[in-house]
Amino acid sequence: MAGDEYRDVFIAEAQDLTASLEVDLVDLEEQAHDTELINRIFRAAHTMKSSAAMFGFPQIASLTHAMESVLDRVRDGLLAIDARVVNTLLDSLDCLRRMVDEATEGSDSDHSEHLTPLCDRLQQVAAGATTTATEPVESAESVAAPATSEAPEAATPEVSTYRIHLALNDDIFFQGTNPMLLLDELATLGDLEEVCCDTGRVPEIGEIDPLKFYLAWDVTLTTTASKEDVEEVFLFCRNDGDIRVEEVPDPAAGAPSSDTGAPAAKDGQADPVRSATERVQEEPASVAPAPSEAAPVAAADTPTAPPLTGALAEGAEATGLEAVAELAEDDIEILHEFHEESTEALAEIEEKILALEEDPTDMETIHALFRTFHSMKGSAGFLELEVLGKLAHETENLLDRARNGELLLDTDSIGLLLTSIDLARGLNDNIAAFLEKHAMPDASTLNKLPVGDHVAAIRRFLAGARPTASAEAVPPPVEPAKPIGKILVEKGAAAPADVGEAVSEQLAGSDKPIGTILVDKGKVAPAKVGEALAEQKAQRTQPTVNRAISAIRVDTERLDAMMNSVGEIVIAQSHALKLATEMEGEEAERLQTALYEVERLSRNLQDEVMGVRMMPIGPTFKQFARFVRDSSRELGKEVNFVITGEETELDKTVVEKIGDPLKHLIRNSLDHGLETPEERQAAGKSPKGTLELRAAHEGGSVVIEVVDDGRGIPRDKVLAKAIAKGLVTGDQELTDEQVYRLIFQPGFSTAEQVSSLSGRGVGMDVVKRNVDELRGSVDVESQEGKGSVLRIRLPLTLAIIEGMVVAVSGQAYIVPVLAIVESIRPRNADIQHVSGQGEVLFFRDEYLPLYRLYEWLGHEPQVTDPEEGIILVVEDSAGRRALLADDLLGQQQVVIKNLEDNFTKLPGISGATILAEGNVALILDLLGLYDQRQAASAGVVA
Amino acid sequence: MKRTKQGTLNLPRDLTVERAEGFCRDLQAVTGDGGDLIFFGDRVESADAAGLQLLVSTRAMARAAERPFAIRRPSTVLRDALALSGLGDLLEENS
């Protein structure tokens, strides 16, 4: 098992990945053709598998491996998305989440009982097998892809053999890498046909350093996985040694080329494993001399590359549409998408290639370019666009060498890349012409492109590729400077068109720098070029400091501690300012000025820290997509789930705690609000109902709404039930709002039938209580037949509240302002004593129970006459009531400090704060105080 | 790691990098005593490259000194680890 630090990194990543997988898998049902979505899901499963194997979670690795097999076939178009596929993946995800949760808690159960049948199911699904007797009966409906709902025949995946050389640095144990896990993960990809361990570096036992690593391996792996998948095994250690993955050419594909320096075949087959020594000796031979037109067409890394024939033959001209006429109607639709994506991608990558000219070591750009051509190759292969596929493949080979550090991109190679783009664009234009006419266009209107010549040129170039300088010679990484042209344009010294012209001239063969070309043409003054060069130089001298890392994970405990410290700074500063204002004289004034500045800065700091704790509500909303999907099916309802305002941010703690109440509300809407399709049609509505989750900022609060277009809340029914339960009397005149609020009373339910989801009379009161605990409020709007809106209003943060400072028997207490309806100076005439019910206050046409805070808090009274004190009318889930305090001392934002950390939890007290004077004030938990009072006087109706 | 009455040696439960330093010291001690290097591996519960390369190192020393070296009764974990890492020949008698 990896160390805690790495384990935590894995768990944090796994939690993110399971959350995103859930959202994406639910989306997959509706967007079965979304290749980006499918790729994203695949990548998530793949990343999780790799990390799990790396960090010692074999069960997670094996499950994600099985999921990945299904997704791989989906990705390759060999398996259609239907309910069975999605349900199996979702069931796997549930199991995955349980395992991740356990890992989070530090426990490690054996899940084989669930894992084995689940992996079997995944295997059956991957194979396109029909439902087995042991598998839960799933709906056979095809969810979103009727045209492809018949799974194609299971095709045999292409099997490749790879030679992997793994020689890790001797300090690898200190990097947290376990080399055996790498081998183990390779084994999960396929068959490790040969594992040759080089023990030559291992010293004798008297000499060995047990914490250094001395072994190296040459491994032969036969697998259906791609080279990228194999390389991904080494994702976390690829810079920690000599790691090479090479595909062993299929001997059946053609005889090995003797001019490439490939090792002699043994019994007609390539030698599966060569020792590291042999390889080193051979390598110089694999780097051919400078490219020559007369050199044979063979790439160093593709010794068995098939000869170019047909439209791809050297000298031939291709349109790229050779097989398009045979595409099925469904594929034409995909061709449309492919064309759009390619157009967009080609526009983007041209700019990137030009940027590479300025900084040929920019790996980020090289990787991006590689991915673009890789995707293009995949899609072209699917659509049988052979010419474009081959063009993308060869270009990808070139970029692969660059990204592996085997090739330093220079003017020649960048020229090849640009030509690849031009050709790809020409082929893409032909596709557009075909799509426009929906038929093969007149040949005279099509681009006829020398793709075969270009592919051969890339191969020749690769055969003589210049390797990058050795690691020692590579200069320390520097931030890639902006191209000189870009700097000139940004400074307004040159027009973009002029720079473009200069770049074209340079690409056409001019060896002059851009600046010189522009000066020669009289487009830019030499001084401006000088300034731009100085700026560029300055940029180049700035060292790169993890520029790929733009975000880091921070433990929330650290944030809490930071928030606490900042709160203390604010308090201490307030105290200092108060003392300063009591002083007189010029020096006191200067001190006050300085302290006001400190106050401004500390408030800014407080806002910044609070901002760090804020997170968007989106992920919480999205996790309900699955819940809505499953629940609506269980209830036989059709629901369109909509999310708006997902970017709305609120405090992390609030986000974490709002999930449960929100789930109750959604469940309630699904169960009681939305009708069945038949009921909706009978009511003249569309059979599919809508359930919307909305979030928005409103003042200092966040409002979250659960909106449905269902049947609404039956006002009369609610009222009748409330009267029957004695919650209200029949003669009370209640507004709609008051009636709907009754559903939050404990035990209240109008459901005639208890379902597995709701209707047991619990839930809505729990929602109210949970929201109260978050210092929020909940209310309802409804229109019978039209739908309901359940609205939760929450504070942005739990760390700070707006508090009313009140005096009770000489002590200061804080009452949350959110709970206060009004504060009044009562007249004694408004206060009456009702026998058996205590004191009541007549307030705005209703009688409210009146409580004296000094009694509740156990103080000797200082103010007993209500006319001399102040009454706070407060409201929460226990209803409205009046509280008598001695005086109001003011309203202020207070930083909440909990008592549990250093003392103990007190019923009725939600925390404490330090006031500007430096004294401590307890924050009242009004609901807790009320409950405590009720419990103390049990049997007495207050 | 102490020799049994029969002169054999029991490999520890943990042959991983966490225990590599201690295991290395044990091996250095037993290779210094001049006896046969016959190990029993039935107790091994975990093994990684750090532990296995110490066994390789011991074998190298044994070969150089022409002393008998063998790992007998390997646990499944040890056998699997050796197989996975291509070091199955360590299990051959007098390897």
Side-chain angles (χ1 to χ4, degrees), chain A residues 264-327:
Chain A
K266 185 180 166 185
D267 300 332
Q269 296 198 4
D271 183 10
V273 180
R274 290 176 292 153
S275 74
T277 319
E278 283 172 329
R279 193 181 305 276
V280 169
Q281 284 167 349
E282 284 171 12
E283 264 175 359
S286 71
V287 180
S292 149
E293 287 303 310
V297 180
D301 64 339
T302 53
T304 56
L308 298 169
T309 57
L312 280 162
E314 280 190 82
E317 290 183 329
T319 62
L321 300 181
E322 285 73 17
V324 165
E326 292 159 25
L327 285 179

Side-chain angles (χ1 to χ4, degrees), chain A residues 301 346 349 353 366 369-374 376-377 387-403 407 409 413-424 451 454-459 462:
Chain A
D301 64 339
L346 287 167
I349 59 178
I353 291 177
I366 293 171
L369 287 168
F370 177 85
R371 282 195 298 272
T372 303
F373 280 103
H374 184 69
M376 195 182 282
K377 180 184 81 172
V387 173
L388 184 55
K390 179 55 76 181
L391 173 66
H393 176 67
E394 292 300 335
T395 313
E396 181 193 358
N397 277 346
L398 195 154
L399 288 161
D400 191 36
R401 299 280 288 272
R403 73 179 188 148
L407 168 72
L409 291 177
S413 46
I414 288 177
L416 287 170
L417 291 174
L418 286 167
T419 306
S420 288
I421 291 185
D422 289 343
L423 292 171
V451 179
H454 181 61
V455 167
I458 294 180
R459 288 183 178 185
L462 287 177

Side-chain angles (χ1 to χ4, degrees), chain B residues 20-80:
Chain B
E21 284 178 297
F23 182 42
C24 182
R25 279 194 299 273
D26 286 347
L27 288 173
Q28 286 167 346
V30 297
T31 51
D33 68 9
D36 290 354
L37 296 168
I38 310 299
F39 297 92
F40 284 160
D42 51 348
R43 294 182 181 180
V44 176
E45 291 173 359
S46 51
D48 68 12
L52 299 189
Q53 68 181 10
L54 287 172
L55 292 175
V56 169
S57 175
T58 306
R59 179 180 62 177
M61 178 267 157
R63 279 178 175 170
E66 296 184 343
R67 285 167 59 185
F69 173 93
I71 299 173
R72 292 179 188 157
R73 302 198 320 229
S75 67
T76 310
V77 167
L78 180 58
R79 185 182 291 279
D80 288 350

Side-chain angles (χ1 to χ4, degrees), chain A residues 455-763:
Chain A
V455 167
I458 294 180
R459 288 183 178 185
R460 276 195 292 273
F461 179 84
L462 287 177
R466 269 165 284 171
T468 50
S470 67
E472 292 76 26
V474 173
V478 293
E479 191 70 29
K482 284 180 190 169
I484 204 79
K486 196 169 184 182
I487 296 174
L488 287 166
V489 169
E490 280 178 3
K491 292 170 86 73
D498 292 338
V499 172
E501 213 174 293
V503 171
S504 304
E505 196 171 309
Q506 202 181 46
L507 291 173
S510 170
D511 54 0
K512 289 181 186 172
I514 296 287
T516 309
I517 296 173
L518 288 167
V519 170
D520 287 351
K521 284 174 170 287
K523 302 289 184 188
V524 183
K528 293 286 179 192
V529 174
E531 283 173 25
L533 282 169
E535 188 171 318
Q536 192 185 47
K537 190 177 176 188
Q539 287 174 9
R540 281 199 169 125
T541 53
Q542 289 166 8
T544 301
V545 182
N546 287 339
R547 72 188 153 85
I549 299 172
S550 59
I552 55 167
R553 289 179 187 277
V554 178
D555 194 317
T556 48
E557 280 183 14
R558 281 189 172 187
L559 288 182
D560 290 342
M562 204 186 291
M563 189 75 196
N564 203 29
S565 298
V566 172
E568 301 225 3
I569 290 172
V570 171
I571 291 162
Q573 172 277 329
S574 298
H575 193 197
L577 187 59
K578 192 171 188 309
L579 293 174
T581 52
E582 289 165 4
M583 294 159 66
E584 288 181 357
E586 196 183 326
E587 291 209 338
E589 271 181 32
R590 284 167 55 197
L591 178 62
Q592 286 165 23
T593 307
L595 285 171
Y596 278 123
E597 182 60 12
V598 175
E599 180 181 40
R600 189 183 66 78
L601 293 171
S602 52
R603 293 278 177 200
N604 283 351
L605 182 59
Q606 194 171 34
D607 288 347
E608 288 292 330
V609 176
M610 269 181 66
V612 173
R613 288 187 55 94
M614 303 299 258
M615 58 187 284
I617 190 79
T620 305
F621 276 9
K622 284 179 183 169
Q623 75 185 17
F624 292 119
R626 168 83 182 278
F627 176 69
V628 171
R629 169 196 182 268
D630 292 350
S631 303
S632 55
R633 286 181 182 204
E634 191 181 324
L635 293 163
K637 296 178 181 180
E638 291 176 20
V639 182
N640 181 28
F641 183 57
V642 181
I643 289 173
T644 50
E646 58 191 288
E647 69 289 346
T648 308
E649 289 189 328
L650 65 170
D651 190 279
K652 183 177 187 298
T653 315
V654 183
V655 171
E656 284 167 354
K657 291 186 176 174
I658 197 59
D660 283 347
L662 216 43
K663 194 171 187 178
H664 271 293
L665 294 183
I666 293 169
R667 181 156 46 195
N668 202 66
S669 287
L670 285 171
D671 206 6
H672 305 312
L674 291 169
E675 313 93 329
T676 60
E678 298 75 29
E679 288 169 334
R680 291 181 66 85
Q681 277 176 319
K685 297 178 175 178
S686 73
K688 197 169 191 175
T690 299
L691 178 67
E692 187 175 358
L693 275 184
R694 296 178 188 155
H697 282 292
E698 242 183 60
S701 308
V702 169
V703 174
I704 296 173
E705 294 177 336
V706 180
V707 185
D708 71 62
D709 65 348
R711 57 171 69 90
I713 299 173
R715 186 187 189 283
D716 295 342
K717 219 168 168 179
V718 170
L719 190 55
K721 188 91 173 182
I723 293 169
K725 282 186 168 285
L727 297 171
V728 291
T729 56
D731 56 353
Q732 275 182 278
E733 282 193 20
L734 299 173
T735 62
D736 287 351
E737 189 192 344
Q738 286 171 318
V739 172
Y740 293 139
R741 285 173 59 85
L742 291 169
I743 65 172
F744 294 110
Q745 293 291 320
F748 188 92
S749 173
T750 62
E752 284 154 8
Q753 197 177 6
V754 171
S755 77
S756 63
L757 288 177
S758 57
R760 292 194 170 86
V762 292

Side-chain angles (χ1 to χ4, degrees), chain A residues 180 197 203-205 212 214 217, chain B residues 28 49-50 53 57 64 81 84-85:
Chain A
M180 298 279 284
C197 185
E204 280 193 14
I205 192 70
K212 280 190 176 173
Y214 302 98
W217 285 283
Chain B
Q28 286 167 346
Q53 68 181 10
S57 175
L84 179 68
S85 57

Side-chain angles (χ1 to χ4, degrees), chain A residues 15 18 94 96-107:
Chain A
Q15 285 169 335
T18 48
D94 289 341
L96 200 56
R97 194 185 290 106
R98 281 196 297 276
M99 292 194 282
V100 172
D101 286 348
E102 278 195 3
T104 309
E105 290 157 10
S107 55

